[in-house]
Amino acid sequence: MKRVFFVAAVLSVAFWIGPVSAQEQNGPRIVEKILSVEIGFEKSDPPNLVVTVVGEVPTGGYTKPILLRAVYAMPPADGIQDYFLLATPPNGIAAQVISKVTAADTWKRFDDKAEKWLKGVRVHGVRGGTVVKLVK
């Protein structure tokens, strides 16, 4: 009886949510591995911090790479700003060759407050593919 109730509950939730489109199935995902992280400053008043990341994906055809900066209620105690590199996998058949994706984030008006607590950035990939880069 419990198994029948569970199956009925799953089916009703699936019906309520509706079918998932191909686009939703292939939404952005965190990349497998972070290969490099570069930090630079654009000269302005106040300066902009630019973080550029190269990541590794398992096949060709990944699109729309994006670098997302974590938003905190308070600055992190360790002084490290977290980022996540995401890319959208291909919809169909793709070249079975390890490929690279690149994305950047510009932290506009990087002000004196952030400059005081920021010691570096940490970019997350999947399966231990995380890289920490200290600000010079």
Side-chain angles (χ1 to χ4, degrees), residues 27-37 53-59 61-68 83-90 98-103 123-131:
R29 297 182 186 157
I30 297 175
V31 302
E32 292 289 318
K33 184 177 181 182
I34 305 303
L35 299 175
S36 67
V37 177
V53 178
V54 177
E56 184 177 274
V57 291
T59 69
Y62 274 72
T63 60
K64 302 177 187 171
I66 185 169
L67 185 60
L68 296 179
Y83 282 88
F84 299 87
L85 179 60
L86 293 91
T88 303
I98 295 173
S99 301
K100 295 178 183 178
V101 293
T102 302
V123 184
H124 297 272
V126 179
R127 299 186 192 125
T130 302
V131 170

Side-chain angles (χ1 to χ4, degrees), residues 39-55:
I39 299 172
F41 293 92
E42 288 180 347
K43 292 185 180 183
S44 61
D45 188 25
N48 296 329
L49 176 73
V50 180
V51 179
T52 305
V53 178
V54 177

Side-chain angles (χ1 to χ4, degrees), residues 5-6 20 24 29 40 45-46 52 61 64 73 78 86 95 99 105 108 131-132:
F5 177 73
F6 175 74
V20 177
E24 290 170 337
R29 297 182 186 157
D45 188 25
T52 305
K64 302 177 187 171
D78 64 359
L86 293 91
S99 301
D105 174 66
K108 295 206 181 276
V131 170
V132 175

